[in-house]
Amino acid sequence: MTNDADLLGQFIREPATAAGQDAFATLVERHLNLVYSAALRQVRSAQLAEEISQSVFTQLACHAPALKAGTVLAAWLHRVTHHAAIDVLRREGRRQAREQIACEMSRLMDDNPVDWTRIEPILDQAVQSLSEADRAAIIMRFFENKSLREVGESLGTNEDAAQKRVSRALERLREHFVRHKITGAAAGLAAIISAHAVQAAPVGLSGTIVKGSLAVSIPVSTSLTTAKIIAMTTLQKVAVGVVLAGAAVTIAYQHHQFSQLQQQTEALVKQETGNQALNARITQLQQERDNATNELASLKEENAALKSRPAEVLKLRGEVGQLRGEKDQLGATTAISKMTATPEARQLLHDSQKIGMGIFYKQFAEKMKLTPEQTEKFNDLLADNIMQQIDDVTAALRDKTPSDQLNQKFAGENTSLDQKIQELLGADSLTQYKDYTKNLLSSLTAQQFQSSFTGSDAEKAAKAEQLRQAIQQESQSTLANASLPPDYQTLPILNLVNIASEDQANQSLNIMEGIYQRVIANASYLSPDEITKLRSFLDKAVANNKAALSMNRTLMAPISSQ
């Protein structure tokens, strides 16, 4: 049997000939089971494992000439498979974290969950009823499980526009099903389509991989390009809030560089385990709610029939009272408390906040040259503080605590956090942390809009710095005129009091909007086109913060008040 080195050599020498392609096909057939199995073990999805297998053998076809003599091909393929699986897990983890809680909340609150057996016969008819662009968006997003970025690129637009198109298309699908007397929320519809729309495993995977890989490797290598990973923030898209922003705080931006890939993989696997536990808990709560409602209705009917029997009526009234008490207790709970009812689910939320704060304060950690151990402890402190404030806001919404009392409570907790940071990093780092935190609005806005400026990289950086300084100066002036402290957080979603108090939320949103408007009015260093883009960008930032605050308020408020 010809060994791997000889087959690889044959392919490298004659990639465009039948002999070279046959040699490559033999290598694929020989090692496909190894690659596919390694991928499947890590991602637990046949579809994703196929995607990874295609990617791995494509890399082999492209990089075969660069492999060192004596390379053990099986070991090389396993290493490439491992890293490709990590990339896929990271991508899927970000997507699932954004969508998971929203979908589960929809299922929890929806009295008519979507039934796959009912929508299956008319799904394709419904999809075909959409416009061409909407149909393409739905198929790519939920049939092919592509990211919003990929959908946007395929449609020639950006991620934000793709999100809106997918949402509109989902709503049109929902309306189509409603006309067929099938009701349910759009989020639940999205989840069930993703889970069931594509079921059959592909046939002839080996041949497909060979064909696809050779099609990439044979043309001139300069035609190969590397996909850019785009970092975005919720200043550019609607998020679900600081509690549920999937591996990041609500306003925190997604970044394409994560250190220690192995740790990230373990976190994602842990997250998947937590999600399964969460699903089971939500299903149990839903069943309990339905049982209580049905039993109460039944007892009311019996009550009407037993009016002539006083003793039984008294007993029945006692049972009804007990059921009402249980129902009131259930109504007093919150969506977020249900979703974190187990230690595992709460730890999952904590870990998500920790990852998010790590992204959020990455530049701070780099600036202060923190060690990995210091960074880990620092992010833990920030996540602990957020979890405590989530509990505070939940209690405040339940007990109708005045916002000034909640402000005092937060002030005490922030003082405690400052002391812990000083003990960990020192007094100078604490000062830098406070300065970094209060200027997040200016730094994040400038950083995320920088790519939209025109000119060279140096010119873009210079304009971004001017924008940062302008927002910072306007913030200081606005706070002084409003008699607010200099360290007031001008980014509304990062001040959790805004979730508990709609009045304070509106004040905070108005402050943010006013700062942005004055910055635009004085942006003489920008071209008219840049000003138009900036205005649109900043309007979205305000709208996204407003939406995030509203979402969090719903999640943390008692269910009976909604």
Side-chain angles (χ1 to χ4, degrees):
M1 182 176 66
T2 308
N3 61 36
D4 290 346
D6 291 340
L7 290 171
L8 200 58
Q10 177 74 20
F11 170 67
I12 294 171
R13 290 191 300 273
E14 303 174 294
T17 67
Q21 294 181 25
D22 287 344
F24 186 81
T26 301
L27 288 173
V28 171
E29 293 174 357
R30 182 176 295 176
H31 296 288
L32 176 58
N33 290 341
L34 181 149
V35 170
Y36 183 81
S37 300
L40 187 60
R41 280 193 298 274
Q42 295 177 76
V43 300
R44 303 299 179 89
S45 164
Q47 183 178 4
L48 293 178
E50 177 190 353
E51 175 186 331
I52 292 169
S53 299
Q54 177 70 73
S55 172
V56 169
F57 285 106
T58 296
Q59 290 186 59
L60 174 61
C62 294
H63 302 299
L67 293 183
K68 296 180 180 179
T71 297
V72 177
L73 186 58
W76 185 89
L77 289 170
H78 189 275
R79 178 172 60 83
V80 174
T81 301
H82 176 65
H83 290 301
I86 288 175
D87 290 340
V88 169
L89 283 171
R90 180 173 58 187
R91 182 193 72 198
E92 290 300 302
R94 288 195 298 262
R95 178 182 67 79
Q96 291 174 7
R98 287 193 301 267
E99 297 175 353
Q100 179 69 29
I101 299 298
C103 290
E104 298 304 340
M105 279 303 302
S106 175
R107 294 173 187 169
L108 179 62
M109 301 304 176
D110 187 7
D111 290 329
N112 298 290
V114 182
D115 183 353
W116 169 247
T117 60
R118 296 185 65 198
I119 73 170
E120 182 179 14
I122 60 172
L123 174 60
D124 296 292
Q125 173 191 347
V127 172
Q128 289 302 314
S129 71
L130 302 174
S131 66
E132 183 177 352
D134 285 353
R135 183 166 60 251
I138 287 293
I139 289 175
M140 285 188 287
R141 185 72 176 112
F142 302 115
F143 285 62
E144 298 182 325
N145 287 321
K146 289 187 176 181
S147 67
L148 289 171
R149 176 177 61 81
E150 292 171 317
V151 174
E153 289 176 351
S154 298
L155 297 177
T157 183
N158 58 28
E159 184 174 352
D160 186 44
Q163 171 71 70
K164 292 179 180 177
R165 179 168 292 281
V166 169
S167 297
R168 288 195 300 267
L170 263 179
E171 182 60 27
R172 292 188 179 107
L173 277 182
R174 190 189 68 80
E175 292 170 356
H176 182 94
F177 291 126
V178 168
R179 289 195 292 272
H180 288 75
K181 302 186 184 306
I182 302 173
T183 61
L189 182 61
I192 202 166
I193 292 176
S194 293
H196 296 284
V198 179
Q199 294 292 329
V203 178
L205 178 58
S206 176
T208 301
I209 288 177
V210 172
K211 182 178 178 180
S213 301
L214 292 176
V216 173
S217 66
I218 292 175
V220 179
S221 61
T222 54
S223 66
L224 300 175
T225 59
T226 301
K228 296 180 179 178
I229 301 175
I230 302 175
M232 300 190 67
T233 74
T234 52
L235 295 175
Q236 296 165 293
K237 60 186 178 181
V238 175
V240 295
V242 68
V243 183
L244 306 171
V249 292
T250 306
I251 139 85
Y253 57 90
Q254 298 173 7
H255 198 286
H256 68 281
Q257 292 179 338
F258 282 96
S259 62
Q260 301 178 347
L261 292 177
Q262 183 61 41
Q263 292 181 1
Q264 186 180 58
T265 303
E266 293 172 357
L268 288 170
V269 172
K270 183 177 181 181
Q271 175 178 324
E272 177 64 22
T273 302
N275 284 343
Q276 293 174 358
L278 181 61
N279 289 341
R281 179 57 178 161
I282 289 175
T283 300
Q284 180 184 353
L285 287 168
Q286 202 171 17
Q287 185 63 47
E288 290 175 0
R289 180 201 63 186
D290 293 342
N291 290 342
T293 301
N294 293 337
E295 188 170 354
L296 181 59
S298 176
L299 288 173
K300 284 181 177 179
E301 292 177 359
E302 291 181 17
N303 185 41
L306 293 173
K307 286 183 177 179
S308 60
R309 290 178 285 181
E312 293 187 23
V313 169
L314 291 175
K315 178 181 178 182
L316 183 59
R317 285 176 178 172
E319 293 175 350
V320 170
Q322 181 180 355
L323 285 171
R324 283 176 175 167
E326 293 175 357
K327 187 175 182 181
D328 290 342
Q329 184 178 7
L330 181 63
T333 61
T334 66
I336 189 62
S337 66
K338 285 185 176 183
M339 292 185 293
T340 57
T342 65
E344 294 81 7
R346 184 172 178 83
Q347 185 61 44
L348 173 62
L349 181 58
H350 178 279
D351 292 345
S352 295
Q353 300 311 311
K354 181 178 177 180
I355 294 173
M357 296 310 259
I359 299 170
F360 206 43
Y361 282 86
K362 183 175 185 294
Q363 290 186 338
F364 170 78
E366 292 174 347
K367 179 182 177 182
M368 303 308 298
K369 299 180 179 179
L370 302 185
T371 65
E373 182 180 0
Q374 287 176 317
T375 302
E376 180 80 6
K377 292 180 179 179
F378 174 67
N379 292 338
D380 262 324
L381 290 177
L382 298 178
D384 290 343
N385 187 58
I386 285 185
M387 294 298 293
Q388 180 59 55
Q389 293 192 350
I390 290 171
D391 292 340
D392 294 341
V393 171
T394 302
L397 288 169
R398 181 194 64 218
D399 302 334
K400 296 181 171 48
T401 304
S403 57
D404 57 342
Q405 293 184 19
L406 188 58
N407 275 320
Q408 292 177 3
K409 189 172 184 63
F410 279 2
E413 291 168 359
N414 288 334
T415 298
S416 176
L417 174 64
D418 291 345
Q419 292 174 347
K420 294 175 182 177
I421 292 176
Q422 181 169 333
E423 292 173 1
L424 176 65
L425 305 178
D428 180 61
S429 293
L430 174 62
T431 301
Q432 295 290 332
Y433 160 77
K434 289 183 175 181
D435 186 66
Y436 181 92
T437 300
K438 75 176 183 180
N439 292 318
L440 281 169
L441 180 66
S442 58
S443 59
L444 282 179
T445 303
Q447 179 182 0
Q448 293 304 303
F449 191 72
Q450 180 170 333
S451 61
S452 298
F453 289 123
T454 58
S456 64
D457 290 343
E459 290 171 333
K460 290 181 179 180
K463 291 179 182 178
E465 178 59 21
Q466 285 180 289
L467 177 61
R468 186 192 68 78
Q469 292 181 7
I471 296 175
Q472 189 169 324
Q473 291 171 1
E474 286 295 344
S475 298
Q476 294 172 353
S477 175
T478 298
L479 295 180
N481 293 335
S483 299
L484 292 170
D487 61 351
Y488 179 89
Q489 181 53 257
T490 51
L491 207 48
I493 192 57
L494 286 187
N495 187 350
L496 269 67
V497 175
N498 291 333
I499 298 174
S501 170
E502 291 191 53
D503 291 339
Q504 288 209 14
N506 291 333
Q507 177 191 26
S508 185
L509 290 166
N510 290 336
I511 288 174
M512 179 186 188
E513 187 173 17
I515 291 171
Y516 279 162
Q517 288 177 350
R518 285 185 289 276
V519 167
I520 292 174
N522 297 318
S524 57
Y525 52 92
L526 301 181
S527 67
D529 181 60
E530 288 173 327
I531 290 177
T532 299
K533 291 181 179 179
L534 180 60
R535 180 179 288 108
S536 175
F537 179 87
L538 300 183
D539 287 345
K540 288 179 182 178
V542 176
N544 291 341
N545 271 261
K546 183 176 181 180
L549 290 172
S550 177
M551 172 66 78
N552 278 289
R553 192 173 296 115
T554 299
L555 293 172
M556 297 186 199
I559 292 175
S560 59
S561 68
Q562 299 175 23

